[in-house]
């Protein structure tokens, strides 16, 4: 089969690889129908993720068809259409039993990281019963690719951890794909005001069409001042960090109101300064999280009932064998006005 | 001043009464701008509420203007526009400190019950700082009358107690004003499916325009069978009782899924049968509640941000001095296609 | 091997049966070391549980040693000492993923019910990775037999569902083994007062030594009056039903305070009367639950750290081949002053 | 009357001051029976708290007798014995209605800070109905002085925010009075293991007698290594910071397990480094809080029922007029082996 293979920092190729086979009785082999590229994949390609080694097929998102199953798989049979979760869950370790699949002792984020991933014609999915989700007949499978990672990430790390609730004033710092996925799913809880902060006017314009009630271009405006003015000096109820650099995290702690929640989504490469000299008495909560994908069944239901439209996040389409071109587009997101790309295995 | 006075079962009159005066330092006198009639008022008029005695001015909803304040009132001053809560809260008893204002040891539901109420030109509000809410400049005051009782009741007793969450399938039994208020506020949490059950096709039609995804006329269809079919035999995640008779409560326990929540809103006059012989192992939760009106500030914010439009619940308008005519209309709700009426003190 | 076999109402025998074998890759065969008898087993023997048919080996509690494992079992290996949960969990169905193992679509309470159970020399455990728990080296295995059913049942259905919290006044109605298990585990949350209600003075005496702060013999005293007096007319914060008849459930709803929680543990054979005509406005919560055994790991930790001493519940010891004698003792619990019996497979 | 007055950094005197009088209808004047000194008072005396100005009577803890009340006070009458909360709550602002009394818009921590405090013969308590608690007849009033600040602080900021639960392994960093108050109240939730960390062997010995299961002298041992070894490399479920310097906060984030809670109690004067480069994916929660004293009624109940013995925290006694000597003792806590001192107004 063909697959996108990582060969060290800056080097990747679309090349022939052996088709994966069942190793454990709980495995399934899935033929990829549609996949996508994640911001994390760009980091991998730069060599920033040391767990990914030369020869690895990358990618951790996608929908497909069951090609074969191990002897202990009971939830799926050959021919079933499935959604692949970016997180692999054994369903039986200490962490899985606490619904913290991200820290599964033999799973977690392993796809396209320490085992071969989804940017390929076929992929082996360990613990298939717990790591795949059935796609209802007639569903929009392209939309569901957004449920492999980006939507549960925005929802769980941002919205659930931030405890967004009706009537809240919330700020989302970062209007990239993850920030926008957070914006879409935050509306499940009917906050009164959603302030979107970014430095790219195009993305802020998109945010307005996605439901943001206010937008701030932090490159042009004093964000803290503007938010404090809008909240009568109180700060926001929830501040969600969707970038992953010190400045945006510290911005979140600057605008958070007493009793508020700062929910970190961003993948950080550096430590940040936490101003406990002012925050110690502010009754705030700060959370971090690697997505557990526990919300995937709910997200599926809300896509089916049209409460959530993931297609809004998709800006570009390619054939799977055009993946290198797709990387170029996604890697120049601002210029290309790209959010998420869809790669179809035709 | 003029007021609507209860004179025993079946007898009421719009008559002259002394204007109320400040009794305690925490009191305020409010000039009524707009009020309405509650289903409970109809029960009072039938003589069903023994705490209401001859001579009582009834009514527990409305918006108005502060006419005078006691010496300990600090949140309001003369001329402020205010929303009157149906629940009076002292803010300092054991129950108020637990946000259970409904059981305030010297408050709770007392307006138009054991003290004079709001269907009058003026009303005395005890513990004004805790029992009134400031109306933002420019707000639609007519809409806010729905926040005195009906919207917090549907939201707190039905939606919050039912723990409605994104992706849920919920049923609301009863499409009267309270059931419809529940329908509007349930959507704050983005359930996937909302099944509305009633015996009045007009109300079910209204429910559809308010966001119900399915409606069942329980006079014409087998409700349990239909809901079980729709939920693949599992039952609903949340069943909300908004009528107040044994049959509707028992219907809720018949359609509830394992792990589900039955939230009672209805005012019951009789005991019901609880089928513990089947329910004991079903991991269900049943709740009852007299509204606490703790959600009023949130509801106000969501009206201001257009997440909630209470005007949908208003079908008829009268001058306050036409109140006896308004009672006739509201008392024949099915025939008049009446939901809530607004009475304006011009 | 030898096993206790049900042969229709009133008939059981200790007889030879084939040793169980691995059927599914997720199975394990466990050699029983110690088991016990549950009140449910007495009901089965009376013919009250129609799912149990002629020829069934009963029993759903015990500790043992892994004798063999299926190819997909990874958490255990031959020779490991294990605690058997009364609830079988597949770990991968809709309910298991919500930690509601009691409603596992292919598990739940099946041991000694629809498949052969633990009152035998060997037992087949489906979904072994999710339904067995490792016993730490040096643990008191006899004590751990109480963790198969009785302690998680009292804790989850009574204490967790009742939301017992520090400072609460709670009542536990029923001082049998389940009620006493509830009493022991309620103290994890430091309620200020624990009122134990029963009709057997011996059991109430036991309850006092287990930590009850007050006891009421409901055959001799007016329970409602006494509890209302003790709580200054407010009622209790939590009332836990641990009997399973209408009178005890209705007692719980009579003594519950405004805002309180009624947690049902008892297995009911009849419907009960729910007095919604008074309860509708009392802000109460009623819960039912079949134990999920999600708390087993925590209970194991607290036994290991001496926060919980399950041995208190064990009054009698027998060899496994004396099981019919053990049934006689346990079946005459009041006369024999029996709580739980231990059967040892020597 | 006599009072301890702050006169700028390093200067205080026990001197004559006018007896306070009722200013607002919600005020009460309380005659002090017993008071104590807080670590915060030492900071004030050093000049570290700029809101405290020359002439201020300091102190924010104590028990006393109602001497007079304003016209709107209804919960108390002259002669009642009361517990004074360190936090003043109006009961009617946005924050008080959310039980966040610490951020009361006209209260919060004002006693002995921006208004005169309790190290005096009399004190004026604003919002008396919400800021005082009735002392039950026969209570140990000396013990209750520990409920003004130290016990609710340890419980709310450490135990509640840390979400300590049965079976947890928790670490408390700092074994001073606040850390020890946290240790006492953490046991309300029956954690399996409580690791106490400090640099003073005497305090660690005290911690052992208070219920610590393990102690670590961080001046002599590698704390991270030892805790990781004890938790099989997982880290603790809850880490509570009870010192207030960067090193102890950062220690908490070094020892926290995936999914764990870091609860800050300490008053910090400097920012800290937050290692998001490792913590971003660890699913942790960090909280800060100024005590709200919402738990005071519960703590009172648990003292009355002997679930909590605050006397353990009291090491020294003085007459109120010996307060300067008491400051010397408390200011040399390590040498004097002092935890809390009691000052009695005889």
């Amino acid at each position: 089969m063909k697959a996108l293979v990582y060969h060290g920092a800056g080097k990747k190729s679309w090349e022939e690889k052996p088709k994966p086979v069942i190793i454990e009785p709980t495995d399934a082999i899935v033929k990829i129908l549609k996949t996508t590229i994640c911001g994390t994949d760009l980091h991998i390609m730069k060599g920033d993720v040391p767990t990914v080694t030369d020869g690895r097929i990358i990618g951790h998102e996608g929908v497909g068809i069951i090609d074969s199953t191990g002897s202990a798989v009971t939830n799926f049979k050959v021919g079933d259409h499935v959604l692949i979760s970016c997180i692999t869950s054994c369903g039986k370790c200490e962490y899985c039993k606490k619904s913290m699949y991200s820290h599964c002792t033999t799973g977690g984020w392993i796809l396209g990281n320490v085992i071969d991933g989804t940017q390929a014609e076929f992929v082996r999915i360990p613990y298939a019963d717990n790591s795949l989700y059935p796609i209802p007949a007639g569903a929009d499978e392209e939309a569901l690719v957004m449920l492999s990672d980006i939507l549960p990430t925005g929802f769980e790390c941002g919205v659930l951890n931030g405890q967004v609730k009706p009537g809240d004033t919330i700020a989302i710092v970062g209007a990239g794909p993850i920030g926008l996925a957070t914006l879409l799913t935050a509306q499940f809880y009917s906050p009164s005001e959603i302030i979107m902060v970014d430095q790219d006017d195009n993305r802020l314009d998109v945010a307005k069409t996605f439901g943001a009630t206010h937008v701030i271009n932090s490159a042009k405006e004093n964000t803290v001042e503007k938010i404090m003015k809008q909240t009568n000096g109180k700060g926001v109820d929830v501040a969600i960090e969707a970038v992953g650099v010190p400045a945006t995290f510290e911005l979140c702690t600057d605008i958070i109101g007493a009793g508020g929640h700062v929910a970190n989504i961003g993948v950080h490469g550096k430590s940040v300064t936490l101003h406990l000299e002012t925050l110690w008495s502010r009754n705030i909560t700060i959370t971090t999280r690697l997505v557990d994908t526990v919300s995937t069944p709910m997200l599926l239901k809300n896509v089916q009932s049209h409460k959530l439209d993931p297609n809004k996040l998709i800006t570009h389409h390619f054939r799977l064998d055009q993946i290198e071109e797709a990387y170029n587009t996604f890697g120049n997101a601002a210029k290309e006005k790209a959010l998420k790309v869809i790669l179809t295995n035709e």
Side-chain angles (χ1 to χ4, degrees), chain A:
Chain A
M1 69 165 190
K2 289 283 190 149
L4 189 79
V5 182
Y6 171 76
H7 289 298
K11 291 178 229 149
K12 61 176 179 292
S13 74
W14 177 247
E15 64 188 43
E16 192 66 26
K17 289 279 275 185
K19 183 180 164 184
V21 294
I22 299 288
I23 300 174
E24 300 290 340
T26 43
D27 285 350
I29 305 300
V30 176
K31 176 175 190 256
I32 294 294
L33 292 173
K34 289 176 188 292
T35 185
T36 183
I37 305 170
C38 181
T40 303
D41 297 329
L42 299 181
H43 281 288
I44 290 172
M45 287 305 172
K46 284 184 197 151
D48 290 349
V49 184
T51 48
V52 181
T53 54
D54 185 2
R56 175 70 59 238
I57 300 171
I58 66 169
H60 50 267
E61 300 166 274
V63 298
I65 299 176
I66 298 284
D67 186 67
S68 62
T69 59
S71 62
V73 173
T74 61
N75 285 354
F76 301 101
K77 61 180 191 307
V78 172
D80 284 355
H81 285 229
V82 292
L83 167 64
I84 299 166
S85 175
C86 65
I87 296 294
T88 301
S89 162
C90 75
K92 56 192 189 182
C93 72
E94 173 186 1
Y95 294 101
C96 284
K97 285 188 174 187
K98 291 192 285 192
S99 297
M100 217 166 97
Y101 309 156
S102 57
H103 288 72
C104 174
T105 54
T106 55
W109 175 46
I110 57 173
L111 269 188
N113 177 7
V114 296
I115 66 171
D116 284 337
T118 60
Q119 291 172 7
E121 293 181 296
F122 293 89
V123 63
R124 181 179 69 92
I125 302 293
Y127 307 118
D129 280 341
N130 287 75
S131 308
L132 298 172
Y133 294 89
I135 295 183
D140 176 351
E141 300 195 344
E142 190 162 303
L144 296 187
V145 175
M146 303 297 109
L147 270 64
S148 287
D149 179 344
I150 188 169
L151 282 162
T153 294
F155 181 66
E156 297 177 13
C157 307
V159 180
L160 280 188
N161 270 17
Q163 299 182 35
V164 175
K165 58 184 189 310
D168 273 359
T169 295
I170 75 170
I172 300 171
V173 180
I178 287 284
L180 292 169
T182 308
L183 171 58
L184 289 177
T185 54
Q187 294 172 71
F188 288 163
Y189 292 100
S190 306
S192 287
E193 299 176 312
I194 308 178
I195 305 162
M196 208 78 192
V197 179
D198 203 292
Q199 303 190 336
D200 179 327
D201 280 330
N202 172 55
R203 289 188 159 180
L204 291 173
D205 286 344
V206 172
K208 274 191 255 181
T209 71
F210 280 27
T213 60
H214 303 75
V215 299
I216 299 177
N217 186 322
S218 55
K220 302 179 182 170
E221 302 179 90
N222 183 324
T223 308
V224 175
E225 208 169 82
K226 198 164 176 191
I227 288 178
M228 283 301 163
K229 189 173 172 191
Q230 190 187 322
T231 57
N232 298 317
K234 289 180 194 167
V236 297
D237 297 303
V238 183
I240 299 175
E241 203 284 344
V243 179
V245 300
T248 48
F249 181 82
E250 289 163 35
L251 173 60
C252 287
T253 61
D254 284 345
I255 61 175
I256 194 68
H261 298 86
V262 173
N264 186 76
I265 308 177
V267 177
H268 289 260
K270 292 183 188 164
S271 63
V272 303
T273 300
L274 184 65
H275 290 286
L276 278 185
E277 75 277 21
T278 53
L279 295 169
W280 75 268
S281 65
R282 296 274 291 157
N283 296 35
I284 66 158
T285 302
I286 298 168
T287 53
T288 71
R289 187 168 182 174
L290 177 58
V291 64
D292 294 299
T293 66
V294 289
S295 63
T296 307
M298 178 283 282
L299 293 167
L300 261 163
K301 281 193 76 175
N302 267 2
V303 171
Q304 289 303 98
S305 66
H306 309 292
K307 305 282 178 192
L308 174 65
D309 179 8
N311 284 313
K312 288 181 175 174
L313 294 163
I314 301 169
T315 52
H316 293 73
H317 292 78
F318 299 89
R319 289 196 318 274
L320 181 54
D321 60 12
Q322 296 170 309
I323 189 165
E324 290 173 294
E325 187 185 335
Y327 263 86
N328 287 339
T329 298
F330 187 66
N332 290 287
K335 180 176 151 247
E336 302 282 351
K337 301 196 176 184
L339 295 174
K340 290 290 277 186
V341 304
I342 285 287
L343 296 151
T344 302
N345 185 18
E346 286 175 349

